[in-house]
């Protein structure tokens, strides 16, 4: 074994498996042949290498047995498919996720200079696993609410619910499970709730919440404020303005952001914890000779600073563009037919965490190609897994 290969082996067995040491094994002691850490690491590797379920994970592991035996204990050889299914159907999702987050955060390694003045942005949004429904047993599609570190491209946690309407109750649970201290939390209109704003402020964090018709009085007041002041270009009140233009995909897009301090006579504002500013994002673009535009409104506990507001609003869109879209395009998540809810939740988490690893890898290949290459070459897979290139 070469020096480089030995170093990677020590990184895997000494570091990654270590993060699962305190994870309680949910299996019966009777006939338990395989170590929990080995099973989890193989599951991670299999999903990273294009496997989409226990059968595919087991087959990938069988074909790569020689390589895996260099990195893992495997006292009874390579586990069969039922072992992966059993483990992923029994592990408590919250505990499972917590181990991964500690591991992923250990790979980040921000320098002291980078940490100075840095504030993590956490985007929270939901996504349905469209083919996970089970009409025979009265189950709709499983809905996953995710926390995504927008600037780092890292999954921080998720909560599974049976219906999209339960997103409002899932968000507070998710906020309780992740570290939000000093972060900026962005949530779409479904999460624009007084109790959620209070929870974020109480957790020593700030929020930027999108406004829509689910808060009709607040929406009406904020919309009226900006329509009124846009008529005279904010001659009657101070405002922070930030503008950007972007070209690509055959169109030119212009975005203008306005952020204003909450007016003294803002009657509905006192009901929202920490509310300091309101904002709007105006997007205009032309495509196929047709002019399009849309306007969105926000409330925030951030002080007035136009560029930060613009960056935060734009950063929230990353959960759609870099997480949800990638899950569908790279992992074909919408095609998953897993019915067991715990299994589906844990498998969904494996997709998100391996996507985080893929995005952190410095290679210029697409996410799809990186997964293929990980399946073709175990040394390349280890590079992605450990965050180290050779």
């Amino acid at each position: 074994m070469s020096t480089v290969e030995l170093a990677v082996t020590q990184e895997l067995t000494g570091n990654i498996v270590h993060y699962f040491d305190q994870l309680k094994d949910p299996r019966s002691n009777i006939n338990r042949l395989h170590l929990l850490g080995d099973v989890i690491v193989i599951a991670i590797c299999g999903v990273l290498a294009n496997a989409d379920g226990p059968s595919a994970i087991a087959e990938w592991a069988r074909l790569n047995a020689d390589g895996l035996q260099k990195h893992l204990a495997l006292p009874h050889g390579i586990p069969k498919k039922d072992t992966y299914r059993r483990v992923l159907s029994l592990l408590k999702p919250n505990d499972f996720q917590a181990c991964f987050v500690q591991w992923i955060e250990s790979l980040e390694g921000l320098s002291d200079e980078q940490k100075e003045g840095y504030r993590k942005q956490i985007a929270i949004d939901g996504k349905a696993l469209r083919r996970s429904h089970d009409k025979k047993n009265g189950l709709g599609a499983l809905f996953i609410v995710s926390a995504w570190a927008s600037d780092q491209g890292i999954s921080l946690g998720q909560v599974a619910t049976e219906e999209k309407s339960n997103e409002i109750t899932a968000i507070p649970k998710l906020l309780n499970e992740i570290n939000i201290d000093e972060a900026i939390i962005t949530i779409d209109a479904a999460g624009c709730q007084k109790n959620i704003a209070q929870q974020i402020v109480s957790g020593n964090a700030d929020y930027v919440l999108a406004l829509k018709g689910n808060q009709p009085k607040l929406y009406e007041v904020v919309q009226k404020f900006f329509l009124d002041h846009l008529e005279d270009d904010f001659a009657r009140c101070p405002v922070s303005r930030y503008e950007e233009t972007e070209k690509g995909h055959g169109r030119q897009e212009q975005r203008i952001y306005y952020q204003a301090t909450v007016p003294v006579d803002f009657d509905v504002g006192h009901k929202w914890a920490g509310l300091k500013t309101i904002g709007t994002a105006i997007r205009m673009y032309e495509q196929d000779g047709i002019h399009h535009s849309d306007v969105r409104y926000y409330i925030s506990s951030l002080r007035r600073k136009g560029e930060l507001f613009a960056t935060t609003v734009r950063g929230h869109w990353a959960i759609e563009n870099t997480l949800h879209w990638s899950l569908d395009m790279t992992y074909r998540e919408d095609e998953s037919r897993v019915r067991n809810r715990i299994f589906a939740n844990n498998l969904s988490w494996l997709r998100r965490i391996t996507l985080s690893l893929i995005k952190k890898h410095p290679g210029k290949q697409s996410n799809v190609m990186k997964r293929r290459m990980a399946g073709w070459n175990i040394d390349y897979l280890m590079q992605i897994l450990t965050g180290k290139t050779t």
Side-chain angles (χ1 to χ4, degrees):
M1 186 180 295
S2 69
T3 303
V4 171
E5 189 177 22
L6 179 61
V8 172
T9 300
Q10 292 172 339
E11 177 78 25
L12 179 60
T13 58
N15 260 352
I16 297 175
V17 177
H18 164 73
Y19 286 98
F20 303 105
D21 285 347
Q22 296 181 346
L23 189 60
K24 184 178 179 181
D25 196 325
R27 297 172 294 173
S28 168
N29 290 323
I30 301 173
N31 295 326
R32 186 195 296 175
L33 300 178
H34 303 287
L35 300 177
L36 180 63
D38 286 355
V39 175
I40 292 174
V41 169
I42 293 176
I44 299 168
C45 292
V47 172
L48 187 57
N50 245 4
D52 57 2
S55 296
I57 292 171
E59 190 64 18
W60 176 86
R62 184 185 68 80
L63 294 173
N64 290 276
D66 291 344
L68 290 170
Q69 286 168 349
K70 296 177 183 178
H71 301 286
L72 300 171
L74 297 173
H76 294 280
I78 299 295
K80 303 296 184 183
K81 66 178 182 180
D82 288 343
T83 301
Y84 306 107
R85 185 183 301 279
R86 188 179 306 113
V87 168
L88 292 175
S89 297
L90 293 173
L91 278 173
K92 292 182 178 180
N94 291 354
D95 297 340
F96 193 40
Q97 292 172 33
C99 295
F100 277 101
V101 171
Q102 292 177 26
W103 165 37
I104 291 295
E105 288 183 343
S106 75
L107 300 177
E108 191 56 33
L110 292 177
S111 66
D112 292 338
E113 185 178 345
Q114 289 173 318
K115 289 178 181 177
E116 187 175 350
Y118 168 77
R119 296 191 68 184
K120 179 185 292 184
Q121 179 179 345
I122 302 174
I124 294 178
D125 198 11
K127 178 184 182 297
L129 276 62
R130 299 188 186 281
R131 299 195 70 189
S132 61
H133 59 83
D134 188 351
K135 292 182 179 179
K136 182 179 179 181
N137 292 305
L139 291 176
L142 192 66
F143 194 76
I144 302 289
V145 181
S146 303
W148 178 255
S150 300
D151 48 350
Q152 299 167 290
I154 295 175
S155 283
L156 301 177
Q158 67 181 39
V159 170
T161 72
E162 290 297 336
E163 302 287 345
K164 178 172 172 57
S165 58
N166 292 338
E167 188 174 5
I168 294 174
T169 57
I171 291 172
K173 293 179 184 177
L174 183 54
L175 289 171
N176 278 331
E177 292 168 9
I178 62 176
N179 179 17
I180 66 171
D181 185 48
E182 296 188 351
I184 301 173
I185 312 296
T186 61
I187 314 177
D188 64 12
C192 189
Q193 306 289 331
K194 298 182 185 70
N195 64 309
I196 291 175
Q198 179 65 67
Q199 184 178 359
I200 292 170
V201 171
S202 298
N204 193 35
D206 281 302
Y207 61 79
V208 176
L209 306 178
L211 262 180
K212 280 188 179 177
N214 61 325
Q215 296 290 344
K217 290 184 179 179
L218 184 59
Y219 181 87
E220 182 181 350
V221 170
V222 172
Q223 182 186 51
K224 183 178 179 181
F225 173 88
F226 281 105
L227 289 176
D228 178 32
H229 287 282
L230 279 167
E231 287 184 358
D232 60 8
D233 200 22
F234 292 90
R236 291 165 286 136
C237 77
V239 70
S240 293
R241 172 182 169 131
Y242 188 80
E243 186 172 344
E244 58 190 5
T245 300
E246 185 176 308
K247 293 181 179 180
H249 304 290
R251 73 183 188 192
Q252 178 170 304
E253 183 169 302
Q254 181 183 21
R255 295 185 287 268
I256 306 173
Y257 305 86
Y258 295 96
Q259 186 189 26
T261 302
V262 172
V264 177
D265 60 350
F266 201 66
D267 293 337
V268 293
H270 70 277
K271 299 178 181 179
W272 293 80
L275 180 59
K276 294 185 179 70
T277 55
I278 55 178
T280 184
I282 303 170
R283 186 167 67 109
M284 297 171 287
Y285 63 94
E286 187 173 303
Q287 189 170 24
D288 298 326
I290 301 173
H291 181 77
H292 302 269
S293 66
D294 68 74
V295 181
R296 303 184 187 187
Y297 298 101
Y298 301 86
I299 61 172
S300 175
S301 62
L302 293 171
R303 295 187 182 278
R304 185 162 59 87
K305 189 175 182 182
E307 185 173 0
L308 177 60
F309 172 67
T311 301
T312 304
V313 169
R314 188 172 62 251
H316 183 77
W317 299 336
I319 197 168
E320 281 290 341
N321 299 332
T322 62
L323 177 61
H324 294 167
W325 187 86
S326 293
L327 288 169
D328 286 339
M329 295 298 104
T330 305
Y331 290 80
R332 318 303 299 182
E333 183 173 69
D334 270 353
E335 298 176 11
S336 175
R337 298 299 299 260
V338 175
R339 298 290 191 271
N340 180 289
R341 289 330 204 190
I342 295 177
F343 182 23
N345 193 348
N346 286 329
L347 187 59
S348 172
W349 178 248
L350 285 176
R351 295 187 194 104
R352 283 156 174 76
I353 208 69
T354 54
L355 178 61
S356 300
L357 291 170
I358 287 171
K359 287 184 175 296
K360 286 174 65 65
H361 187 270
K364 295 182 179 180
Q365 299 88 355
S366 68
N367 295 337
V368 172
M369 182 55 71
K370 285 181 180 179
R371 284 193 82 200
R372 288 175 181 166
M373 292 171 67
W376 296 334
N377 187 288
I378 198 165
D379 289 334
Y380 183 82
L381 182 148
M382 292 301 171
Q383 289 181 26
I384 296 178
L385 199 61
T386 61
K388 298 183 180 298
T389 56
T390 58

